[in-house]
Amino acid sequence: MSPMRTRFILIETSHPGNVGAAARALKVMGFDEMVLVAPRYANVLRKEETIQRASGANDVLDKTRIVDTLEEALDGISHLCATAMTPRDFGPPTRSPREHFDLLLGRPASSSEAPLSGVAAEPISSIGFLFGSERFGMKNEDVYKCHVALSIPTNPQFGSLNLAAALQLIAYEWRLAL
């Protein structure tokens, strides 16, 4: 896989089991950098449910950082992707993960979309994937900090994915792209 630094950022997680399941999902896909922004429980990484759901991905939990603000979590990230169920009227473009990764890595996209504006000027050295709270999703102000909003094509009548499942899908698509 590419040496591109990859960070998964979870904002205000409320369920310890989701943090453990996210760590497991990352390890399975070959990633290990997770940052939690203001999780509901300060000791979430040591909670029994977190450790059980990590199911052997304790090394990912050990490496996980907890920070107070999104700005701290973004330090060193050159390209930021929101994950949002609902496209916003304002803010970054919404794309499927596969389409965006093809554009990002300079591959011919299936659509006739032009190359990423503003991205080609500076090579991307690190990428961050931003996931909102299980209860509230992502705040507009956080989405607006991103270069793109990744939208996973789901059932239009029921598109709400579990946090760890969404993270697993993005990690899988990114692993395939690399």
Side-chain angles (χ1 to χ4, degrees), residues 31-177:
F31 301 108
D32 65 0
E33 190 174 348
M34 184 164 65
V35 177
L36 308 179
V37 179
R40 183 180 196 178
Y41 303 104
N43 67 338
V44 66
L45 297 173
R46 294 183 303 283
K47 284 195 163 283
E48 188 177 341
E49 186 183 357
T50 306
I51 294 163
Q52 286 175 350
R53 292 282 305 277
S55 194
N58 296 18
D59 55 333
V60 176
L61 290 178
D62 291 344
K63 191 178 174 186
T64 296
R65 291 184 305 126
I66 295 178
V67 297
D68 294 326
T69 67
L70 180 55
E71 286 64 32
E72 290 172 88
L74 298 180
D75 186 46
I77 295 298
S78 63
H79 187 79
L80 188 59
C81 303
T83 54
M85 189 172 95
T86 342
R88 311 297 208 267
D89 290 336
F90 300 99
T94 299
R95 295 191 187 102
S96 73
R98 196 165 295 178
E99 176 188 25
H100 184 67
F101 298 156
D102 282 346
L103 288 166
L104 191 63
L105 298 172
R107 298 192 187 114
S110 52
S111 75
S112 59
E113 189 156 352
L116 294 176
S117 60
V119 171
E122 258 184 66
I124 294 169
S125 58
S126 56
I127 189 166
F129 297 106
L130 203 51
F131 296 83
S133 148
E134 301 98 323
R135 293 181 293 174
F136 313 114
M138 287 195 65
K139 296 175 188 157
N140 284 340
E141 65 194 65
D142 294 340
V143 173
Y144 297 160
K145 292 176 177 147
C146 298
H147 295 95
V148 67
L150 299 178
S151 182
I152 296 165
T154 55
N155 174 351
Q157 279 74 49
F158 191 75
S160 178
L161 282 166
N162 169 273
L163 175 61
L167 187 141
Q168 178 85 64
L169 281 167
I170 298 294
Y172 171 78
E173 288 290 337
W174 184 232
R175 180 181 174 88
L176 277 185

Side-chain angles (χ1 to χ4, degrees), residues 11-22:
I11 301 172
E12 296 178 14
T13 50
S14 56
H15 301 294
N18 282 337
V19 173

